[in-house]
Amino acid sequence: MFESSFNPQSPQAQQRRDAMLARLAQLRALEDRAAQASARSKPVFDKRGQLLPRERVALLLDPGAPYVPLCSLAGYMQDSKDPEKSVPGGGMLAGLGFVSGVRCMVVASDSGIDAGAIQARGLEKILRVQEIALQNQLPFIHLVESAGANLTKYQVEGFVLGGSLFRNLARLSAAGIPVITVQHGSGTAGGAYMPGLSDIVIMVRGRSRAFLAGPPLLMAATGEVATEEELGGAEMHTSVSGLGEYLAEDDREALGLARRVVASIAREEKSVRPERPSVRPEFTSVRPEHVEGLTHARARASTGSARTEMRPIRNDMAEPLLPTEDLLALMPAHHREPVDMREVIARIVDGSELLEFKALYGAATLCVQARIDGHAVGIISNNGPIDVAGASKATHFIQWMCQLGHPIVYLQNTTGYMVGKDSEQGGMIKHGSKMIQAVTNATVPQITIQCGASFGAGNYGMCGRGYAPRFLFSWPQAKTAVMGGEQAARTMQIVAEAGMARKGITPDPVQMQAQFDHIVNVFESQADAFHTSGLVLDDGVIDPRDTRAVLAFCLATCAEAAAREPRRMQFGVARM
């Protein structure tokens, strides 16, 4: 067991805890804002005999089973520059959960907001979750009710790149991964290809609509007059066109049919269900009677996983012996304050047991073997910049984990690779490059948690978004940037002053300070975890206390993907 030297009662720890709790409160408020905005449409939904989007998702999921929301801040500060008015979420809900015992990717149009029109960064969000489903061979379930693109905010790149959404559906189906759509409402123009490219489509009588051109566009384009039901109603599509397989009387029946369809997958694949109670039962996922919990349900649930040779499991899994609550107080609000990431690791891994690799060599780069909920993993983290020895050690460790078949978890907390004359002469570029080579070509699943700083090429070497980790989550106080704001401002100040000196101009101190402050503000605002999450540069911001449970869920997802044998086809399932 790791021997901790952390004092959770110290003034510094209390200060850090307060700062982290304040950020978490801000995170929950933003998630609640989206839920409340959607819930304001409840009278309209009730009048139509429909369920709200969060109610639909809650009824689809297995009660009490783990659920991990994804990209809940997508679009934050992209729809509005006013932080008090921005509504995050991208116009949809997405997450990993269990349906009839099968681990699935679940996506739902948030039709309580702007009729489900895709919001800022909504396209990036759905493309990301499709990628996760494809990588991890997860059935893709889409609850559709969307006004499509917002034509008042039309951008041609959204139209062109939007085709990737439908391409991915074809790729999923061809890979042997079921694509199931419940058409709760309208799917117009490009949105009609959502059911068109699905393997199974469930429609709701009197509510489902799918057509390439609705009545207004049809009239404008051809002069033809037709009703919505004639063009694309549920009865027409299930009895005439053949677009739909099942006709439900209402949302509840449609979701029940979806669960039955997925249950047939469970019987076929013998998918693994959770084997034991959650770590913290009070934080298991959403129950239909507690729909409001969906927005920020903690994923504190430990799940079973496929038992493969790649990941041997022992039966004596133990919770960390050090308090998980300490994770609130360990990480400083500013990257200039040091933190021993061993303290973090010891509060995440089984029994707080760490086997540190090359502990005395390249000591600022941590390489640790441990277990998370029984999954053998390699963990790489940082107690400072990555130097020559650290890069070499990490490269060796990554290759060692690949040989063992153990997934790698990166806990980012670095200001980047070491700079300076000694470092350059020691071959920092080539040694850093070989680490990046190892990260790029690793043959095991890689999962990244951005805990603190993620600066410069350190973001790359520690498996940032550009290096395609299976999953990437951020802590609320994480920072991502090419460098710190003050370093960037100081660099530009030095360059500007040198340029003025060559021209014989004396710098204006007031003007130079204003420029310095502006650059710092630009860098700091863009480095903020909520900002980067709004740009879908991670898969979500999580409570540090949930890190172990989220990692356990993701590791189980990766293990199941390795064990599953989908029936791949040359083409996706074509609608008949």
Side-chain angles (χ1 to χ4, degrees), residues 110-410:
D110 198 347
S111 48
I113 302 174
D114 293 341
I118 296 179
Q119 306 297 318
R121 300 291 169 172
L123 176 60
E124 289 92 333
K125 177 173 179 174
I126 194 167
L127 293 179
R128 172 56 185 157
V129 299
Q130 285 180 326
E131 178 185 358
I132 291 173
L134 188 60
Q135 278 188 313
N136 295 285
Q137 303 182 59
L138 299 168
F140 188 84
I141 306 175
H142 198 171
L143 312 183
V144 177
E145 182 175 34
S146 174
N150 188 334
L151 296 182
T152 63
K153 298 180 180 179
Y154 169 76
Q155 292 180 314
V156 68
E157 64 269 25
F159 155 67
V160 174
L161 297 177
S164 300
L165 187 162
F166 309 120
R167 173 177 179 267
N168 286 342
L169 296 177
R171 294 173 65 208
L172 284 162
S173 182
I177 301 169
V179 178
I180 301 166
T181 287
V182 180
Q183 192 79 27
H184 290 279
S186 293
T188 306
Y193 288 106
M194 185 66 224
L197 286 160
S198 297
D199 302 325
I200 295 294
V201 176
I202 300 165
M203 292 191 157
V204 180
R205 190 190 303 275
R207 297 306 321 165
S208 298
R209 299 283 187 270
F211 28 57
L212 296 178
L217 179 56
L218 183 66
M219 168 68 80
T222 69
E224 183 179 353
V225 177
T227 66
E228 287 191 341
E229 179 58 39
E230 291 172 325
L231 280 176
E235 291 184 61
M236 188 279 287
H237 278 311
T238 53
S239 64
V240 179
S241 78
L243 180 66
E245 278 67 57
Y246 302 100
L247 179 63
E249 295 301 319
D250 56 24
D251 283 349
R252 290 179 182 274
E253 184 180 359
L255 294 165
L257 284 167
R259 286 183 56 81
R260 290 176 64 187
V261 170
V262 179
S264 69
I265 300 172
R267 288 192 295 271
E268 177 68 21
E269 297 188 358
K270 298 180 181 178
S271 181
V272 179
R273 302 241 3 214
E275 296 176 342
R276 58 190 182 87
S278 62
V279 177
R280 294 280 296 276
E282 65 269 32
F283 290 117
T284 51
S285 182
V286 204
R287 296 176 184 273
E289 64 269 26
H290 297 123
V291 176
E292 69 279 2
L294 178 62
T295 308
H296 52 75
R298 282 186 180 173
R300 276 190 197 276
S302 170
T303 66
S305 58
R307 301 191 177 212
T308 69
E309 292 183 1
M310 182 192 80
R311 191 194 58 73
I313 294 181
R314 68 185 192 186
N315 294 321
D316 59 338
M317 290 180 274
E319 296 302 312
L321 299 184
L322 295 171
T324 303
E325 289 293 317
D326 288 350
L327 293 173
L328 293 174
L330 275 164
M331 190 58 59
H334 200 286
H335 63 270
R336 283 195 298 262
E337 297 178 26
V339 58
D340 185 353
M341 291 299 290
R342 295 179 188 86
E343 299 279 4
V344 171
I345 296 170
R347 287 161 175 81
I348 293 173
V349 302
D350 294 0
S352 298
E353 295 178 6
L354 286 63
L355 176 60
E356 191 168 352
F357 179 82
K358 289 182 182 285
L360 302 180
Y361 181 77
T365 299
L366 303 179
C367 297
V368 173
Q369 286 181 260
R371 288 180 180 268
I372 297 176
D373 201 37
H375 300 259
V377 297
I379 300 173
I380 302 178
S381 191
N382 324 98
N383 278 350
I386 304 170
D387 58 16
V388 168
S392 297
K393 176 168 76 170
T395 302
H396 184 173
F397 187 71
I398 291 168
Q399 294 175 342
W400 172 229
M401 291 302 99
C402 290
Q403 186 183 64
L404 295 178
H406 294 174
I408 302 170
V409 174
Y410 297 84

Side-chain angles (χ1 to χ4, degrees), residues 36 71 109 165 257 266 282 289 358 427 445 521 536 548 567:
Q36 292 165 9
C71 306
S109 309
L165 187 162
L257 284 167
E282 65 269 32
E289 64 269 26
K358 289 182 182 285
N521 181 64
V536 198
R548 171 179 166 81
R567 294 174 176 83

